[in-house]
């Protein structure tokens, strides 16, 4: 695991059926909200390529629930809405069930750069489920000039200060951030501020398959 400081043993929370959601910082309510939104998005054509076998099984439950919502009239409509909600809950619990707590060593980006003899990092990719800021804080001041670009999935909200394009898939256009246009949730403002402090141009974009979640991609590059 990578974070702000080295540690011989930390607890890592692993979701066997949703490995990409595994984390050092479990936030059950947020994870469930995002997983529910993620599954709904996967029912749209844009989400087809993201499906794994487990996700397809969960999506099938959500699809069944969506079909039930179409039932009209009393008492079918309130019953169908309740059943739809139950099926969505079942799908989310299926993917996030069986969480495993694993003890792992924790290191930092700078320690990894030193260990592997990296003079330059062309792209630092960060996707660590709510620990993005800590990972970036693990870059020592002397190493920042050696990093040329950063791409990080960050949990939070952002407001476009220059341009925003909303289409069927949600916010897909790049929004250039000015710091004050970013709401401080999930470390978004702090991540942007840290990258700007070290001389990066920063842009935030929400990918189509992440619409309805609080997950955004932060892209940082040298001018």
């Amino acid at each position: 695991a990578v974070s702000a400081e080295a540690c011989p043993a930390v607890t890592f929370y692993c979701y066997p059926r949703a490995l990409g959601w595994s984390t050092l910082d479990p936030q059950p309510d947020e994870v469930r909200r995002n997983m529910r939104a993620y599954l709904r998005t996967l029912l749209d054509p844009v989400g087809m390529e993201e499906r794994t076998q487990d996700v397809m099984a969960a999506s099938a439950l959500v699809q069944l629930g969506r079909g039930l919502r179409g039932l009209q009239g009393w008492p079918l409509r309130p019953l169908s809405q309740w059943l739809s909600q139950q099926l969505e809950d079942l799908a989310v619990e299926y993917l996030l069930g069986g969480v495993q707590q694993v003890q792992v060593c924790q290191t930092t980006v700078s320690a990894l750069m030193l260990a592997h003899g990296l003079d330059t990092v062309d792209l630092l990719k960060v996707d660590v489920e709510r620990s993005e800021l800590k990972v970036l804080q693990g870059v020592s001041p002397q190493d920042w000039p050696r990093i040329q670009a950063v791409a990080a999935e960050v949990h939070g909200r952002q407001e476009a200060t220059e341009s925003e394009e909303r289409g069927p898939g949600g916010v897909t256009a790049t929004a250039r951030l000015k710091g004050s246009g970013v709401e401080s949730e999930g470390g978004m403002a702090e991540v942007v501020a840290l990258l700007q402090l070290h001389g990066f141009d920063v842009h935030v974009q929400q990918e189509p398959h992440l619409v309805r979640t609080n997950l955004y991609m932060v892209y940082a590059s040298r001018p």
Side-chain angles (χ1 to χ4, degrees):
V2 181
S3 191
E5 57 186 9
C7 183
V10 295
T11 301
F12 185 76
Y13 298 81
C14 176
Y15 301 104
R17 288 188 287 269
L19 291 174
W21 298 67
S22 302
T23 180
L24 287 171
D25 180 22
Q27 298 290 336
D29 291 341
E30 179 188 335
V31 171
R32 283 173 171 78
R33 284 196 305 271
N34 283 335
M35 179 62 78
R36 185 187 304 278
Y38 177 67
L39 289 173
R40 289 174 178 174
T41 300
L42 290 185
L43 295 176
D44 300 326
V46 69
M48 291 294 290
E49 62 186 29
E50 300 289 330
R51 296 186 182 186
T52 64
Q53 184 173 356
D54 285 320
V55 169
M56 286 179 66
S59 295
L61 290 175
V62 179
Q63 179 67 72
L64 177 59
R66 179 179 286 187
L68 289 173
R69 283 183 180 273
L71 298 178
Q72 301 294 324
W74 177 267
L76 290 180
R77 183 167 179 78
L79 178 61
S80 68
Q81 291 177 338
W82 180 83
L83 286 174
S84 176
Q85 182 70 40
Q86 297 304 305
L87 287 171
E88 285 189 357
D89 290 343
L90 182 62
V92 170
E93 293 306 319
Y94 168 74
L95 286 176
L96 298 179
V99 60
Q100 301 172 359
Q101 298 184 30
V102 184
Q103 294 297 304
V104 299
C105 295
Q106 182 173 284
T107 187
T108 67
V109 171
S110 284
L112 289 173
M113 292 174 65
L114 178 62
H116 293 279
L118 299 178
D119 295 325
T120 302
V121 175
D122 294 320
L123 174 64
L124 175 61
K125 175 67 168 62
V126 183
D127 185 357
V128 289
E129 302 303 314
R130 290 169 300 284
S131 295
E132 301 81 18
L133 179 61
K134 292 181 179 179
V135 169
L136 297 178
Q137 289 172 335
V139 179
S140 61
Q142 63 267 25
D143 287 332
W144 273 113
R146 299 158 60 190
I147 298 175
Q148 303 306 305
V150 177
E153 183 187 84
V154 179
H155 295 239
R157 296 194 301 266
Q158 62 86 24
E159 294 178 351
T161 56
E162 289 189 1
S163 63
E164 183 179 272
E165 179 181 322
R166 293 185 180 271
V171 181
T172 57
T174 297
R176 185 176 178 84
L177 302 177
K178 296 296 186 180
S180 62
V182 185
E183 294 188 27
S184 181
E185 177 188 318
M188 173 74 81
E190 291 85 351
V191 166
V192 171
L194 180 61
L195 292 169
Q196 290 176 333
L197 176 66
H198 290 286
F200 290 95
D201 283 340
V202 182
H203 303 267
V204 171
Q205 176 175 313
Q206 188 171 54
E207 303 297 334
H209 68 277
L210 296 178
V211 169
R212 307 184 189 98
T213 72
N214 68 337
L215 305 176
Y216 290 84
M217 289 303 300
V218 175
Y219 297 104
S221 58
R222 297 293 181 187

